[in-house]
Amino acid sequence: MRADIVGKWINVDGGDDGIEFQGDGSLVVAGRKKSEVILGDYTFLNDENFEMTLRFQEGNPWRPRWMPPGVRQLPVVRCYAKFFGDVLELRPRGRIQAKDFDQYIEFGMIRFDPMPEDADK
């Protein structure tokens, strides 16, 4: 699983987003526009679970609506990952904690296909 996740993936369910897991433990989530980029890191907890620490830049349109203004702490999102053939399924769950804020977030399943080699040219 750990080696299989390295590479570029595109949202199967019609989203415009993609994600690239790099071999050094870093990741990039990108949308259609250049301003829609989230950088982060990932670490496997076991063979099917990993944590992502996401860095949202100020003014990024993807800054989560569940992160209220003023919360500067980086969100940590735990993902359950599973392969079905070439399809990568992620089930993310997150918790944002700050001085006066504590919220648990659960997302629906997100499915990704490997991005074709020439798709980003």
Side-chain angles (χ1 to χ4, degrees):
M1 166 67 84
R2 296 168 198 232
D4 294 335
I5 205 168
V6 173
K8 294 181 180 181
W9 300 86
I10 190 159
N11 191 319
V12 172
D13 299 319
D16 293 325
D17 54 323
I19 188 167
E20 180 178 2
F21 293 98
Q22 298 171 349
D24 64 358
S26 62
L27 64 87
V28 178
V29 179
R32 190 181 328 172
K33 300 176 187 171
K34 291 189 179 202
S35 63
E36 296 174 344
V37 173
I38 303 166
L39 301 177
D41 300 297
Y42 70 99
T43 304
F44 273 88
L45 304 172
N46 56 41
D47 284 339
E48 293 185 340
N49 294 281
F50 63 93
E51 276 187 350
M52 296 187 296
T53 302
L54 304 174
R55 295 187 294 277
F56 294 93
Q57 299 168 333
E58 284 300 320
N60 185 329
W62 277 9
R63 183 175 168 85
R65 60 185 166 271
W66 41 264
M67 263 182 81
V71 174
R72 301 273 186 255
Q73 192 162 349
L74 301 178
V76 174
V77 178
R78 286 196 173 185
C79 284
Y80 171 75
K82 192 165 187 97
F83 282 102
F84 290 95
D86 284 343
V87 176
L88 170 64
E89 289 189 354
L90 299 180
R91 291 184 178 89
R93 295 177 179 93
R95 186 174 183 185
I96 305 299
Q97 291 179 292
K99 183 179 175 187
D100 299 319
F101 183 78
D102 187 353
Q103 186 168 345
Y104 179 79
I105 306 299
E106 186 161 348
F107 303 89
M109 181 181 62
I110 307 169
R111 300 180 313 147
F112 293 89
D113 272 340
M115 185 177 290
E117 291 290 324
D118 59 351
D120 56 356
K121 292 183 181 173

